[in-house]
Amino acid sequence: MSLLELFVSVDDFCQIFLPVWDKKLLTDGSKKRCRAGQLSMSEIMTIIIYFHQSQYRNFKAYYTEHVCAHLRAESPYLVTYERFVVLMSSAFGPLSAYLKSLYGRCSGISFIDSTALEVCDNHRIHNHKVFEGFAERGKGSMGWFYGLKLHLVVNNCGEILACQITPGNVDDRKPVPALCKRLFGKLIADRGYISQPLFEQLLETFNVQLITRLKKNMKNRLIPLIDKLLLRKRAIIESVVDQLKNISQIEHTRQRSPINAFINIITGLIAYCYQPKKPSLNIIPAGLPLLIA
């Protein structure tokens, strides 16, 4: 997506969302005035999102070397880098709402997984203060880490259906009910989501069937062939996570502010939503009802 197309999409959303958002903040006392800034909210959001579509790995270099040097015509009222970092925090609410507006549609086949987002090296845990109160020690498939967890649900086309950020020590099964509010059909997960109470809760509340592999110490049971085939395709969500970390850069240990770190994750997810090619399963739409039956 080009910069112009991205700005038009963001600006159209802001024209609808911001009046309602500002009115709510003024009503509950969270905001005292609505004075317009030098940069509009649409410009701030576009600049942050576009960073994840650029080739830069460092936001400061991106802003000073690319935005200030080459985007003066598009944004004539650019501020300094230090001022822009301060303005970024005001975009947290609109960016979160904008991400939700880009969620895909549930097709009846969904995949869920979590991934660790380290905020510092394990050797520096005791000296790390930036994420104090937000990050916790957790353990994943790659071992122990200190940071956050991103819980993600995608459909068979690789589109994001729901996501949630938690401390690193939160059980993978805890956020599942909140993530399944818009789902139906089958939910494919790994062995970390095995839970009979969770299976019954999802089936009764949301009509969602949780499908997982069995652990080695569990009794064998019959699984329909369709479910076995879907379990083999669970790697689709791991491909999505790989793109989020290596292309959208949602994980790094250079953050100096928790709020800007969350903004970096959200804008990375937004940038992924705009990718023209996403990991997907070659499933004919006409055959979906047979798979989720």
Side-chain angles (χ1 to χ4, degrees), residues 12-194:
D12 289 343
F13 169 81
C14 286
Q15 289 183 16
I16 299 173
F17 175 78
L18 288 182
V20 180
W21 174 255
D22 290 336
K23 183 178 180 180
K24 181 179 179 181
L25 294 181
L26 289 170
T27 303
D28 61 18
S30 301
K31 193 174 183 179
K32 302 299 181 183
R33 57 182 180 177
C34 293
R35 190 176 70 177
Q38 191 170 351
L39 276 177
S40 67
M41 181 57 67
S42 303
E43 291 176 298
I44 295 172
M45 292 171 61
T46 302
I47 290 172
I48 304 172
I49 297 170
Y50 196 67
F51 163 68
H52 296 276
Q53 297 180 348
S54 68
Q55 302 298 320
Y56 285 86
R57 305 290 293 180
N58 181 282
F59 187 81
K60 184 176 182 179
Y62 157 77
Y63 188 82
T64 56
E65 298 175 9
H66 180 71
V67 176
C68 293
H70 302 289
L71 300 183
R72 286 284 179 181
E74 289 79 3
S75 297
Y77 301 106
L78 288 173
V79 297
T80 63
Y81 169 74
E82 291 74 14
R83 178 57 182 164
F84 188 85
V85 171
V86 175
L87 293 175
M88 284 176 63
S89 60
S90 62
F92 178 76
L95 282 169
S96 301
Y98 186 55
L99 172 61
K100 288 188 176 182
S101 71
L102 299 176
Y103 283 170
R105 284 188 175 186
C106 179
S107 61
I109 300 176
S110 309
F111 300 84
I112 187 171
D113 201 0
S114 68
T115 184
L117 301 176
E118 297 186 33
V119 298
C120 75
D121 187 82
N122 287 339
H123 297 91
R124 299 196 299 270
I125 292 177
H126 297 290
N127 298 326
H128 189 81
K129 303 297 182 184
V130 175
F131 283 86
E132 188 174 1
F134 295 95
E136 296 290 345
R137 293 192 187 191
K139 188 177 183 181
S141 57
M142 303 301 291
W144 289 94
F145 70 96
Y146 179 75
L148 309 168
K149 268 187 181 181
L150 173 64
H151 304 266
L152 197 66
V153 181
V154 301
N155 60 15
N156 59 289
C157 297
E159 299 171 336
I160 297 176
L161 301 179
C163 65
Q164 187 173 337
I165 303 172
T166 65
N169 61 349
V170 172
D171 192 302
D172 289 348
R173 295 167 289 191
K174 187 175 181 180
V176 174
L179 295 171
C180 292
K181 292 181 179 179
R182 298 173 58 248
L183 305 186
F184 65 90
K186 299 179 184 292
L187 180 63
I188 317 302
D190 61 16
R191 294 183 178 92
Y193 292 86
I194 293 177

Side-chain angles (χ1 to χ4, degrees), residues 43 209 218:
E43 291 176 298
Q209 181 184 2
M218 297 177 65

Side-chain angles (χ1 to χ4, degrees), residues 167-233:
N169 61 349
V170 172
D171 192 302
D172 289 348
R173 295 167 289 191
K174 187 175 181 180
V176 174
L179 295 171
C180 292
K181 292 181 179 179
R182 298 173 58 248
L183 305 186
F184 65 90
K186 299 179 184 292
L187 180 63
I188 317 302
D190 61 16
R191 294 183 178 92
Y193 292 86
I194 293 177
S195 171
Q196 186 64 28
L198 177 62
F199 175 86
E200 296 174 355
Q201 180 184 0
L202 295 181
L203 195 59
E204 294 175 3
T205 308
F206 307 107
N207 195 27
V208 173
Q209 181 184 2
L210 180 64
I211 301 173
T212 63
R213 294 184 183 275
L214 299 177
K215 292 183 178 179
K216 292 181 179 179
N217 59 350
M218 297 177 65
K219 293 183 179 179
N220 195 11
R221 59 184 174 85
L222 293 176
I223 301 178
L225 179 60
I226 294 298
D227 293 352
K228 286 186 177 181
L229 295 176
L230 290 175
L231 283 171
R232 292 181 181 179
K233 299 298 183 180

